Amino acid sequence: MAKPIEFKAGSLHAMSAVLREIDNVRLADALQVMLGGIGEFFAGEPAVIDVTQVTQFPTRIDWPGLQSLLRRYGLQPVALRGAPEALHAGARKAGLAILDGLDKEPQLPVTPATETPPAPEPVAAPAPSRGSPMVIDRTIRSGQQIYARGSDLIVLGAVSNGAEVIADGNVHCYGPLRGRALAGASGERSARIFSSNFGPELIAVAGVYRTFEQGIPQALAGRAVQARLQGEGEQASLLLETLITD
Amino acid sequence: MTRIVVVTSGKGGVGKTTSSASFASGLALRGFKTAVIDFDVGLRNLDLIMGCERRVVYDLVNVIQGEANLHQALIKDKHCENLFVLPASQTRDKDALTEEGVEKVLNDLKQMGFDYVVCDSPAGIERGAVMALTFADEALIVTNPEVSSIRDSDRILGILQSKSRRAKEGQEAVKEHLVITRYSAKRVDEGEMLSYKDVQELLRVPLLGVIPESETVLQASNAGSPVIHNKESDAAEAYEDLVARFLGETREMRFVSYEKPGILKRIFGGA
């Protein structure tokens, strides 16, 4: 007879929202800047709120506020990682699972099995798998936005001022890049931006961004340039290099 | 086969209505049966530029709402045999423009055998502007050589790509033409103004014409006679070239280079 309920161990692929501070107002601002206020930027992916990098915790945290902020961008917060014990009760009450201690050593339910199951082979973290790239033939105009979810984005026209091109993978621009380009939008730090005629308003890789208030450096303006991340954590910055194309 | 041409820009005050009036007149002078429609409901201007403001009885909104038929509302132009003006309403608001209503008016104009219907778009990217471009086959993007005008034109090009009927139904895209107005070759030469080549490079749309800044444009507006009729004016010649290029002729760009007055001209004054 089939049991009405069964428990199985499984793994869940989730986005990590790594916070460096917990202040909903500042987070809202930062998300606005990063994602340009695009509602539903994500597609309802489950997310773990990771606060391991937070150094100062407020005494009370507005979890529902934080959750609704993430939901506004299409993330579904399901769990919390790295918070001090004092905050666990509040987070649980808000419906977040506490992952600390769980995900390091998965606690298997003790079953009266006679045989110990063979330990699973350690699997190397898979290389970022991507769909085939999205190719846009035309010029992307001010106010338009293109998002290549889970793939590279190749733009053959120009990206105008006030336009935005976003990819989870790399962004390649063959026409002049004058708007915003964001690569590694779901956090892939190895993503890059390639431009054959460099002149953007903003570029970002995995959330690390750079604007050009003082204008594009002379050595890069109008040239073929790639942008990629260098350094780790807080020190991460965008490295811009001209490309030799002939 | 009727072609619907929208004259649009995003930004206001760049010369849409002036261009619509001269472009439509130019087509009519070439013998094409042409209608020009003012979509700027609430801020009608085209009738003034065309000099028919005293003959407005019915308007676009009256026709859309079935209070008048097209024959009653179309005003015959005083200069051209083949040109008719459909004015905007000054009293209604732009919500009176419905997609079905506009489509019906345009279909009726097709039935009446018009060769070209020129839609003079209001500024902005709201309802009136979207209605004016929804059914377009071709678009004249009017731009001043100035960054904010260029950005707004870029924006309206994006809207054309997403909201036009052709885009929505996956047909051949709306044919885009760039029209640069209020161009001063002298100021470009002095480095105060973007050149037409800069503008074209930024917008990446084929250039149909460059209209020089000219006093005659203002005079023509005040006189209620599209500037293309003023034979002495550079702007008139530039609009005539523009119409010729639109109809597939090859014409060299004029009024785009500046020659410093020679010493004799400086001493004895301009001839």
Side-chain angles (χ1 to χ4, degrees), chain A residues 138-141 155-161 163 165 172-181 194-201 221-223, chain B residues 200-204:
Chain A
R138 59 185 169 82
T139 287
I140 301 170
R141 303 288 179 185
V155 182
L156 298 175
V159 178
S160 293
N161 288 97
V165 289
H172 310 253
C173 301
Y174 289 93
L177 171 60
R178 303 190 184 104
R180 296 159 156 243
F194 304 97
S195 159
S196 60
N197 181 341
F198 192 73
E201 293 170 328
R223 310 275 295 274
Chain B
Q200 203 198 349
E201 201 190 295
L202 284 165
L203 285 173
R204 301 165 78 90

PDB file of all heavy atoms in Angstrom, chain A residues 138-141 155-161 163 165 172-181 194-201 221-223, chain B residues 200-204:
ATOM      1  N   ARG A 138      19.364  43.861 -34.102  1.00  0.00           N
ATOM      2  CA  ARG A 138      19.068  45.277 -34.292  1.00  0.00           C
ATOM      3  C   ARG A 138      19.742  46.126 -33.217  1.00  0.00           C
ATOM      4  O   ARG A 138      20.366  45.603 -32.303  1.00  0.00           O
ATOM      5  CB  ARG A 138      17.555  45.488 -34.254  1.00  0.00           C
ATOM      6  CG  ARG A 138      16.964  45.021 -32.950  1.00  0.00           C
ATOM      7  CD  ARG A 138      15.453  45.115 -32.947  1.00  0.00           C
ATOM      8  NE  ARG A 138      14.922  44.427 -31.787  1.00  0.00           N
ATOM      9  CZ  ARG A 138      14.858  44.949 -30.585  1.00  0.00           C
ATOM     10  NH1 ARG A 138      15.303  46.166 -30.373  1.00  0.00           N
ATOM     11  NH2 ARG A 138      14.374  44.259 -29.572  1.00  0.00           N
ATOM     12  N   THR A 139      19.555  47.431 -33.347  1.00  0.00           N
ATOM     13  CA  THR A 139      20.024  48.360 -32.331  1.00  0.00           C
ATOM     14  C   THR A 139      19.050  48.380 -31.168  1.00  0.00           C
ATOM     15  O   THR A 139      17.840  48.361 -31.375  1.00  0.00           O
ATOM     16  CB  THR A 139      20.164  49.754 -32.969  1.00  0.00           C
ATOM     17  OG1 THR A 139      21.310  49.729 -33.815  1.00  0.00           O
ATOM     18  CG2 THR A 139      20.345  50.843 -31.928  1.00  0.00           C
ATOM     19  N   ILE A 140      19.572  48.378 -29.964  1.00  0.00           N
ATOM     20  CA  ILE A 140      18.715  48.419 -28.783  1.00  0.00           C
ATOM     21  C   ILE A 140      18.601  49.869 -28.358  1.00  0.00           C
ATOM     22  O   ILE A 140      19.599  50.538 -28.096  1.00  0.00           O
ATOM     23  CB  ILE A 140      19.282  47.526 -27.676  1.00  0.00           C
ATOM     24  CG1 ILE A 140      19.380  46.103 -28.234  1.00  0.00           C
ATOM     25  CG2 ILE A 140      18.385  47.552 -26.453  1.00  0.00           C
ATOM     26  CD1 ILE A 140      20.119  45.167 -27.376  1.00  0.00           C
ATOM     27  N   ARG A 141      17.364  50.363 -28.351  1.00  0.00           N
ATOM     28  CA  ARG A 141      17.099  51.790 -28.183  1.00  0.00           C
ATOM     29  C   ARG A 141      16.933  52.168 -26.721  1.00  0.00           C
ATOM     30  O   ARG A 141      16.604  51.329 -25.895  1.00  0.00           O
ATOM     31  CB  ARG A 141      15.807  52.161 -28.928  1.00  0.00           C
ATOM     32  CG  ARG A 141      15.816  51.818 -30.410  1.00  0.00           C
ATOM     33  CD  ARG A 141      16.728  52.753 -31.146  1.00  0.00           C
ATOM     34  NE  ARG A 141      16.792  52.460 -32.580  1.00  0.00           N
ATOM     35  CZ  ARG A 141      17.612  53.107 -33.389  1.00  0.00           C
ATOM     36  NH1 ARG A 141      18.424  54.037 -32.931  1.00  0.00           N
ATOM     37  NH2 ARG A 141      17.636  52.825 -34.667  1.00  0.00           N
ATOM     38  N   VAL A 155      24.945  41.137 -29.213  1.00  0.00           N
ATOM     39  CA  VAL A 155      24.211  42.237 -29.831  1.00  0.00           C
ATOM     40  C   VAL A 155      24.988  42.703 -31.054  1.00  0.00           C
ATOM     41  O   VAL A 155      26.153  43.077 -30.950  1.00  0.00           O
ATOM     42  CB  VAL A 155      24.036  43.417 -28.851  1.00  0.00           C
ATOM     43  CG1 VAL A 155      23.225  44.528 -29.511  1.00  0.00           C
ATOM     44  CG2 VAL A 155      23.351  42.961 -27.571  1.00  0.00           C
ATOM     45  N   LEU A 156      24.345  42.663 -32.213  1.00  0.00           N
ATOM     46  CA  LEU A 156      25.031  43.071 -33.449  1.00  0.00           C
ATOM     47  C   LEU A 156      24.837  44.552 -33.741  1.00  0.00           C
ATOM     48  O   LEU A 156      25.660  45.164 -34.390  1.00  0.00           O
ATOM     49  CB  LEU A 156      24.532  42.219 -34.615  1.00  0.00           C
ATOM     50  CG  LEU A 156      24.833  40.726 -34.436  1.00  0.00           C
ATOM     51  CD1 LEU A 156      24.224  39.920 -35.558  1.00  0.00           C
ATOM     52  CD2 LEU A 156      26.328  40.475 -34.377  1.00  0.00           C
ATOM     53  N   GLY A 157      23.737  45.132 -33.271  1.00  0.00           N
ATOM     54  CA  GLY A 157      23.524  46.568 -33.450  1.00  0.00           C
ATOM     55  C   GLY A 157      24.198  47.342 -32.331  1.00  0.00           C
ATOM     56  O   GLY A 157      25.057  46.811 -31.618  1.00  0.00           O
ATOM     57  N   ALA A 158      23.792  48.588 -32.195  1.00  0.00           N
ATOM     58  CA  ALA A 158      24.324  49.400 -31.102  1.00  0.00           C
ATOM     59  C   ALA A 158      23.459  49.210 -29.858  1.00  0.00           C
ATOM     60  O   ALA A 158      22.335  48.750 -29.941  1.00  0.00           O
ATOM     61  CB  ALA A 158      24.320  50.867 -31.510  1.00  0.00           C
ATOM     62  N   VAL A 159      24.035  49.539 -28.709  1.00  0.00           N
ATOM     63  CA  VAL A 159      23.252  49.644 -27.475  1.00  0.00           C
ATOM     64  C   VAL A 159      23.241  51.141 -27.152  1.00  0.00           C
ATOM     65  O   VAL A 159      24.247  51.710 -26.768  1.00  0.00           O
ATOM     66  CB  VAL A 159      23.891  48.846 -26.327  1.00  0.00           C
ATOM     67  CG1 VAL A 159      23.086  49.014 -25.052  1.00  0.00           C
ATOM     68  CG2 VAL A 159      24.009  47.374 -26.692  1.00  0.00           C
ATOM     69  N   SER A 160      22.079  51.781 -27.352  1.00  0.00           N
ATOM     70  CA  SER A 160      21.996  53.232 -27.219  1.00  0.00           C
ATOM     71  C   SER A 160      22.084  53.681 -25.769  1.00  0.00           C
ATOM     72  O   SER A 160      21.834  52.890 -24.860  1.00  0.00           O
ATOM     73  CB  SER A 160      20.669  53.723 -27.788  1.00  0.00           C
ATOM     74  OG  SER A 160      20.620  53.525 -29.168  1.00  0.00           O
ATOM     75  N   ASN A 161      22.372  54.968 -25.591  1.00  0.00           N
ATOM     76  CA  ASN A 161      22.281  55.559 -24.252  1.00  0.00           C
ATOM     77  C   ASN A 161      20.896  55.277 -23.691  1.00  0.00           C
ATOM     78  O   ASN A 161      19.900  55.437 -24.389  1.00  0.00           O
ATOM     79  CB  ASN A 161      22.429  57.079 -24.328  1.00  0.00           C
ATOM     80  CG  ASN A 161      23.845  57.466 -24.644  1.00  0.00           C
ATOM     81  OD1 ASN A 161      24.160  57.712 -25.795  1.00  0.00           O
ATOM     82  ND2 ASN A 161      24.688  57.506 -23.647  1.00  0.00           N
ATOM     83  N   ALA A 163      19.697  52.440 -22.905  1.00  0.00           N
ATOM     84  CA  ALA A 163      19.260  51.056 -23.131  1.00  0.00           C
ATOM     85  C   ALA A 163      20.055  50.153 -22.186  1.00  0.00           C
ATOM     86  O   ALA A 163      21.088  50.554 -21.653  1.00  0.00           O
ATOM     87  CB  ALA A 163      19.498  50.648 -24.576  1.00  0.00           C
ATOM     88  N   VAL A 165      21.482  46.053 -21.568  1.00  0.00           N
ATOM     89  CA  VAL A 165      21.617  44.655 -21.983  1.00  0.00           C
ATOM     90  C   VAL A 165      22.146  43.845 -20.805  1.00  0.00           C
ATOM     91  O   VAL A 165      23.098  44.237 -20.150  1.00  0.00           O
ATOM     92  CB  VAL A 165      22.539  44.482 -23.215  1.00  0.00           C
ATOM     93  CG1 VAL A 165      21.858  45.031 -24.444  1.00  0.00           C
ATOM     94  CG2 VAL A 165      23.877  45.167 -23.019  1.00  0.00           C
ATOM     95  N   HIS A 172      28.295  40.290 -25.382  1.00  0.00           N
ATOM     96  CA  HIS A 172      29.145  40.652 -26.528  1.00  0.00           C
ATOM     97  C   HIS A 172      28.438  41.744 -27.308  1.00  0.00           C
ATOM     98  O   HIS A 172      27.290  41.558 -27.709  1.00  0.00           O
ATOM     99  CB  HIS A 172      29.329  39.468 -27.481  1.00  0.00           C
ATOM    100  CG  HIS A 172      29.745  38.193 -26.816  1.00  0.00           C
ATOM    101  ND1 HIS A 172      31.007  37.692 -26.918  1.00  0.00           N
ATOM    102  CD2 HIS A 172      29.052  37.323 -26.041  1.00  0.00           C
ATOM    103  CE1 HIS A 172      31.079  36.548 -26.235  1.00  0.00           C
ATOM    104  NE2 HIS A 172      29.913  36.302 -25.692  1.00  0.00           N
ATOM    105  N   CYS A 173      29.101  42.862 -27.536  1.00  0.00           N
ATOM    106  CA  CYS A 173      28.486  43.939 -28.303  1.00  0.00           C
ATOM    107  C   CYS A 173      29.353  44.245 -29.511  1.00  0.00           C
ATOM    108  O   CYS A 173      30.495  44.666 -29.355  1.00  0.00           O
ATOM    109  CB  CYS A 173      28.344  45.203 -27.467  1.00  0.00           C
ATOM    110  SG  CYS A 173      27.342  44.955 -26.003  1.00  0.00           S
ATOM    111  N   TYR A 174      28.791  44.070 -30.691  1.00  0.00           N
ATOM    112  CA  TYR A 174      29.554  44.353 -31.916  1.00  0.00           C
ATOM    113  C   TYR A 174      29.347  45.782 -32.388  1.00  0.00           C
ATOM    114  O   TYR A 174      30.200  46.350 -33.029  1.00  0.00           O
ATOM    115  CB  TYR A 174      29.202  43.340 -33.001  1.00  0.00           C
ATOM    116  CG  TYR A 174      29.761  41.981 -32.689  1.00  0.00           C
ATOM    117  CD1 TYR A 174      29.010  41.031 -32.007  1.00  0.00           C
ATOM    118  CD2 TYR A 174      31.073  41.673 -33.032  1.00  0.00           C
ATOM    119  CE1 TYR A 174      29.539  39.791 -31.690  1.00  0.00           C
ATOM    120  CE2 TYR A 174      31.606  40.437 -32.720  1.00  0.00           C
ATOM    121  CZ  TYR A 174      30.838  39.498 -32.046  1.00  0.00           C
ATOM    122  OH  TYR A 174      31.370  38.301 -31.726  1.00  0.00           O
ATOM    123  N   GLY A 175      28.190  46.355 -32.084  1.00  0.00           N
ATOM    124  CA  GLY A 175      27.969  47.769 -32.397  1.00  0.00           C
ATOM    125  C   GLY A 175      28.472  48.604 -31.223  1.00  0.00           C
ATOM    126  O   GLY A 175      28.940  48.068 -30.220  1.00  0.00           O
ATOM    127  N   PRO A 176      28.391  49.927 -31.334  1.00  0.00           N
ATOM    128  CA  PRO A 176      28.819  50.770 -30.220  1.00  0.00           C
ATOM    129  C   PRO A 176      28.009  50.504 -28.944  1.00  0.00           C
ATOM    130  O   PRO A 176      26.790  50.374 -29.009  1.00  0.00           O
ATOM    131  CB  PRO A 176      28.563  52.193 -30.729  1.00  0.00           C
ATOM    132  CG  PRO A 176      28.464  52.076 -32.202  1.00  0.00           C
ATOM    133  CD  PRO A 176      27.963  50.707 -32.503  1.00  0.00           C
ATOM    134  N   LEU A 177      28.707  50.376 -27.835  1.00  0.00           N
ATOM    135  CA  LEU A 177      28.051  50.167 -26.548  1.00  0.00           C
ATOM    136  C   LEU A 177      27.977  51.509 -25.831  1.00  0.00           C
ATOM    137  O   LEU A 177      28.984  52.022 -25.362  1.00  0.00           O
ATOM    138  CB  LEU A 177      28.848  49.151 -25.718  1.00  0.00           C
ATOM    139  CG  LEU A 177      28.419  48.972 -24.247  1.00  0.00           C
ATOM    140  CD1 LEU A 177      26.974  48.514 -24.150  1.00  0.00           C
ATOM    141  CD2 LEU A 177      29.322  47.977 -23.548  1.00  0.00           C
ATOM    142  N   ARG A 178      26.767  52.099 -25.786  1.00  0.00           N
ATOM    143  CA  ARG A 178      26.626  53.414 -25.172  1.00  0.00           C
ATOM    144  C   ARG A 178      25.695  53.388 -23.963  1.00  0.00           C
ATOM    145  O   ARG A 178      25.581  54.358 -23.233  1.00  0.00           O
ATOM    146  CB  ARG A 178      26.065  54.410 -26.185  1.00  0.00           C
ATOM    147  CG  ARG A 178      26.898  54.524 -27.443  1.00  0.00           C
ATOM    148  CD  ARG A 178      26.457  55.694 -28.302  1.00  0.00           C
ATOM    149  NE  ARG A 178      27.202  55.736 -29.537  1.00  0.00           N
ATOM    150  CZ  ARG A 178      26.729  55.355 -30.721  1.00  0.00           C
ATOM    151  NH1 ARG A 178      25.485  54.933 -30.824  1.00  0.00           N
ATOM    152  NH2 ARG A 178      27.482  55.409 -31.797  1.00  0.00           N
ATOM    153  N   GLY A 179      25.003  52.277 -23.778  1.00  0.00           N
ATOM    154  CA  GLY A 179      24.067  52.169 -22.658  1.00  0.00           C
ATOM    155  C   GLY A 179      24.687  51.392 -21.512  1.00  0.00           C
ATOM    156  O   GLY A 179      25.869  51.528 -21.215  1.00  0.00           O
ATOM    157  N   ARG A 180      23.861  50.554 -20.874  1.00  0.00           N
ATOM    158  CA  ARG A 180      24.355  49.774 -19.745  1.00  0.00           C
ATOM    159  C   ARG A 180      24.507  48.322 -20.150  1.00  0.00           C
ATOM    160  O   ARG A 180      23.663  47.788 -20.863  1.00  0.00           O
ATOM    161  CB  ARG A 180      23.320  49.826 -18.614  1.00  0.00           C
ATOM    162  CG  ARG A 180      23.101  51.192 -18.060  1.00  0.00           C
ATOM    163  CD  ARG A 180      21.765  51.229 -17.358  1.00  0.00           C
ATOM    164  NE  ARG A 180      21.797  52.301 -16.385  1.00  0.00           N
ATOM    165  CZ  ARG A 180      21.680  52.109 -15.076  1.00  0.00           C
ATOM    166  NH1 ARG A 180      21.459  50.908 -14.587  1.00  0.00           N
ATOM    167  NH2 ARG A 180      21.755  53.124 -14.270  1.00  0.00           N
ATOM    168  N   ALA A 181      25.572  47.687 -19.662  1.00  0.00           N
ATOM    169  CA  ALA A 181      25.774  46.269 -19.939  1.00  0.00           C
ATOM    170  C   ALA A 181      26.058  45.561 -18.628  1.00  0.00           C
ATOM    171  O   ALA A 181      26.933  45.978 -17.869  1.00  0.00           O
ATOM    172  CB  ALA A 181      26.924  46.082 -20.917  1.00  0.00           C
ATOM    173  N   PHE A 194      32.277  42.056 -23.602  1.00  0.00           N
ATOM    174  CA  PHE A 194      33.143  42.369 -24.738  1.00  0.00           C
ATOM    175  C   PHE A 194      32.468  43.443 -25.578  1.00  0.00           C
ATOM    176  O   PHE A 194      31.281  43.339 -25.862  1.00  0.00           O
ATOM    177  CB  PHE A 194      33.354  41.131 -25.613  1.00  0.00           C
ATOM    178  CG  PHE A 194      33.897  39.961 -24.858  1.00  0.00           C
ATOM    179  CD1 PHE A 194      33.044  38.971 -24.379  1.00  0.00           C
ATOM    180  CD2 PHE A 194      35.254  39.830 -24.620  1.00  0.00           C
ATOM    181  CE1 PHE A 194      33.531  37.885 -23.671  1.00  0.00           C
ATOM    182  CE2 PHE A 194      35.751  38.746 -23.922  1.00  0.00           C
ATOM    183  CZ  PHE A 194      34.891  37.767 -23.441  1.00  0.00           C
ATOM    184  N   SER A 195      33.205  44.454 -25.934  1.00  0.00           N
ATOM    185  CA  SER A 195      32.627  45.519 -26.739  1.00  0.00           C
ATOM    186  C   SER A 195      33.610  45.931 -27.813  1.00  0.00           C
ATOM    187  O   SER A 195      34.789  46.127 -27.537  1.00  0.00           O
ATOM    188  CB  SER A 195      32.303  46.716 -25.833  1.00  0.00           C
ATOM    189  OG  SER A 195      32.208  47.884 -26.593  1.00  0.00           O
ATOM    190  N   SER A 196      33.119  46.060 -29.032  1.00  0.00           N
ATOM    191  CA  SER A 196      34.031  46.447 -30.115  1.00  0.00           C
ATOM    192  C   SER A 196      34.172  47.964 -30.205  1.00  0.00           C
ATOM    193  O   SER A 196      35.058  48.478 -30.869  1.00  0.00           O
ATOM    194  CB  SER A 196      33.544  45.885 -31.452  1.00  0.00           C
ATOM    195  OG  SER A 196      32.265  46.390 -31.717  1.00  0.00           O
ATOM    196  N   ASN A 197      33.266  48.692 -29.540  1.00  0.00           N
ATOM    197  CA  ASN A 197      33.325  50.157 -29.550  1.00  0.00           C
ATOM    198  C   ASN A 197      32.819  50.616 -28.187  1.00  0.00           C
ATOM    199  O   ASN A 197      31.622  50.717 -27.945  1.00  0.00           O
ATOM    200  CB  ASN A 197      32.466  50.683 -30.703  1.00  0.00           C
ATOM    201  CG  ASN A 197      32.500  52.198 -30.799  1.00  0.00           C
ATOM    202  OD1 ASN A 197      32.857  52.902 -29.852  1.00  0.00           O
ATOM    203  ND2 ASN A 197      32.103  52.715 -31.947  1.00  0.00           N
ATOM    204  N   PHE A 198      33.775  50.843 -27.292  1.00  0.00           N
ATOM    205  CA  PHE A 198      33.460  50.964 -25.871  1.00  0.00           C
ATOM    206  C   PHE A 198      33.065  52.388 -25.489  1.00  0.00           C
ATOM    207  O   PHE A 198      33.821  53.333 -25.760  1.00  0.00           O
ATOM    208  CB  PHE A 198      34.686  50.535 -25.067  1.00  0.00           C
ATOM    209  CG  PHE A 198      34.434  50.335 -23.606  1.00  0.00           C
ATOM    210  CD1 PHE A 198      33.728  49.232 -23.146  1.00  0.00           C
ATOM    211  CD2 PHE A 198      34.909  51.252 -22.679  1.00  0.00           C
ATOM    212  CE1 PHE A 198      33.513  49.042 -21.799  1.00  0.00           C
ATOM    213  CE2 PHE A 198      34.690  51.070 -21.323  1.00  0.00           C
ATOM    214  CZ  PHE A 198      33.991  49.959 -20.881  1.00  0.00           C
ATOM    215  N   GLY A 199      31.909  52.558 -24.879  1.00  0.00           N
ATOM    216  CA  GLY A 199      31.483  53.884 -24.427  1.00  0.00           C
ATOM    217  C   GLY A 199      30.243  53.816 -23.567  1.00  0.00           C
ATOM    218  O   GLY A 199      29.316  54.589 -23.748  1.00  0.00           O
ATOM    219  N   PRO A 200      30.202  52.872 -22.598  1.00  0.00           N
ATOM    220  CA  PRO A 200      28.957  52.636 -21.865  1.00  0.00           C
ATOM    221  C   PRO A 200      28.686  53.677 -20.785  1.00  0.00           C
ATOM    222  O   PRO A 200      29.571  54.431 -20.391  1.00  0.00           O
ATOM    223  CB  PRO A 200      29.184  51.270 -21.224  1.00  0.00           C
ATOM    224  CG  PRO A 200      30.651  51.244 -20.966  1.00  0.00           C
ATOM    225  CD  PRO A 200      31.286  52.004 -22.112  1.00  0.00           C
ATOM    226  N   GLU A 201      27.429  53.682 -20.321  1.00  0.00           N
ATOM    227  CA  GLU A 201      27.065  54.479 -19.151  1.00  0.00           C
ATOM    228  C   GLU A 201      27.447  53.728 -17.883  1.00  0.00           C
ATOM    229  O   GLU A 201      27.856  54.314 -16.896  1.00  0.00           O
ATOM    230  CB  GLU A 201      25.549  54.711 -19.115  1.00  0.00           C
ATOM    231  CG  GLU A 201      25.042  55.576 -20.232  1.00  0.00           C
ATOM    232  CD  GLU A 201      23.525  55.588 -20.309  1.00  0.00           C
ATOM    233  OE1 GLU A 201      22.881  54.570 -19.976  1.00  0.00           O
ATOM    234  OE2 GLU A 201      22.984  56.613 -20.721  1.00  0.00           O
ATOM    235  N   ALA A 221      38.052  54.640 -24.810  1.00  0.00           N
ATOM    236  CA  ALA A 221      36.884  55.164 -25.520  1.00  0.00           C
ATOM    237  C   ALA A 221      36.905  54.787 -26.988  1.00  0.00           C
ATOM    238  O   ALA A 221      37.896  55.004 -27.678  1.00  0.00           O
ATOM    239  CB  ALA A 221      36.815  56.677 -25.362  1.00  0.00           C
ATOM    240  N   GLY A 222      35.836  54.182 -27.428  1.00  0.00           N
ATOM    241  CA  GLY A 222      35.688  53.834 -28.835  1.00  0.00           C
ATOM    242  C   GLY A 222      36.521  52.640 -29.278  1.00  0.00           C
ATOM    243  O   GLY A 222      36.493  52.247 -30.431  1.00  0.00           O
ATOM    244  N   ARG A 223      37.278  52.065 -28.322  1.00  0.00           N
ATOM    245  CA  ARG A 223      38.139  50.930 -28.679  1.00  0.00           C
ATOM    246  C   ARG A 223      37.433  49.614 -28.386  1.00  0.00           C
ATOM    247  O   ARG A 223      36.362  49.585 -27.787  1.00  0.00           O
ATOM    248  CB  ARG A 223      39.436  50.987 -27.856  1.00  0.00           C
ATOM    249  CG  ARG A 223      40.134  52.334 -27.871  1.00  0.00           C
ATOM    250  CD  ARG A 223      41.039  52.493 -29.066  1.00  0.00           C
ATOM    251  NE  ARG A 223      42.148  51.555 -29.024  1.00  0.00           N
ATOM    252  CZ  ARG A 223      43.297  51.789 -28.388  1.00  0.00           C
ATOM    253  NH1 ARG A 223      43.458  52.905 -27.711  1.00  0.00           N
ATOM    254  NH2 ARG A 223      44.266  50.911 -28.420  1.00  0.00           N
TER     255      ARG A 223
ATOM    256  N   GLN B 200      23.606  60.950 -37.119  1.00  0.00           N
ATOM    257  CA  GLN B 200      23.267  59.717 -37.813  1.00  0.00           C
ATOM    258  C   GLN B 200      23.988  58.529 -37.202  1.00  0.00           C
ATOM    259  O   GLN B 200      23.432  57.445 -37.080  1.00  0.00           O
ATOM    260  CB  GLN B 200      23.623  59.840 -39.293  1.00  0.00           C
ATOM    261  CG  GLN B 200      22.800  58.860 -40.106  1.00  0.00           C
ATOM    262  CD  GLN B 200      23.364  58.615 -41.472  1.00  0.00           C
ATOM    263  OE1 GLN B 200      24.259  59.312 -41.924  1.00  0.00           O
ATOM    264  NE2 GLN B 200      22.832  57.619 -42.115  1.00  0.00           N
ATOM    265  N   GLU B 201      25.230  58.762 -36.780  1.00  0.00           N
ATOM    266  CA  GLU B 201      25.987  57.668 -36.165  1.00  0.00           C
ATOM    267  C   GLU B 201      25.352  57.254 -34.837  1.00  0.00           C
ATOM    268  O   GLU B 201      25.317  56.080 -34.501  1.00  0.00           O
ATOM    269  CB  GLU B 201      27.422  58.133 -35.950  1.00  0.00           C
ATOM    270  CG  GLU B 201      28.393  56.985 -35.818  1.00  0.00           C
ATOM    271  CD  GLU B 201      29.742  57.494 -35.362  1.00  0.00           C
ATOM    272  OE1 GLU B 201      30.352  58.238 -36.123  1.00  0.00           O
ATOM    273  OE2 GLU B 201      30.142  57.147 -34.248  1.00  0.00           O
ATOM    274  N   LEU B 202      24.841  58.242 -34.099  1.00  0.00           N
ATOM    275  CA  LEU B 202      24.216  57.918 -32.819  1.00  0.00           C
ATOM    276  C   LEU B 202      22.896  57.185 -33.005  1.00  0.00           C
ATOM    277  O   LEU B 202      22.580  56.271 -32.262  1.00  0.00           O
ATOM    278  CB  LEU B 202      23.983  59.200 -32.002  1.00  0.00           C
ATOM    279  CG  LEU B 202      25.234  59.778 -31.341  1.00  0.00           C
ATOM    280  CD1 LEU B 202      24.992  61.204 -30.890  1.00  0.00           C
ATOM    281  CD2 LEU B 202      25.655  58.918 -30.154  1.00  0.00           C
ATOM    282  N   LEU B 203      22.124  57.577 -33.991  1.00  0.00           N
ATOM    283  CA  LEU B 203      20.792  56.988 -34.145  1.00  0.00           C
ATOM    284  C   LEU B 203      20.760  55.801 -35.107  1.00  0.00           C
ATOM    285  O   LEU B 203      19.838  54.987 -35.056  1.00  0.00           O
ATOM    286  CB  LEU B 203      19.793  58.054 -34.591  1.00  0.00           C
ATOM    287  CG  LEU B 203      19.380  59.025 -33.486  1.00  0.00           C
ATOM    288  CD1 LEU B 203      18.526  60.148 -34.045  1.00  0.00           C
ATOM    289  CD2 LEU B 203      18.616  58.305 -32.381  1.00  0.00           C
ATOM    290  N   ARG B 204      21.748  55.719 -35.991  1.00  0.00           N
ATOM    291  CA  ARG B 204      21.842  54.597 -36.930  1.00  0.00           C
ATOM    292  C   ARG B 204      20.549  54.373 -37.704  1.00  0.00           C
ATOM    293  O   ARG B 204      20.022  53.268 -37.775  1.00  0.00           O
ATOM    294  CB  ARG B 204      22.246  53.325 -36.191  1.00  0.00           C
ATOM    295  CG  ARG B 204      23.582  53.480 -35.479  1.00  0.00           C
ATOM    296  CD  ARG B 204      23.803  52.383 -34.487  1.00  0.00           C
ATOM    297  NE  ARG B 204      24.229  51.138 -35.119  1.00  0.00           N
ATOM    298  CZ  ARG B 204      25.499  50.815 -35.343  1.00  0.00           C
ATOM    299  NH1 ARG B 204      26.457  51.627 -35.012  1.00  0.00           N
ATOM    300  NH2 ARG B 204      25.801  49.660 -35.897  1.00  0.00           N
TER     301      ARG B 204
END
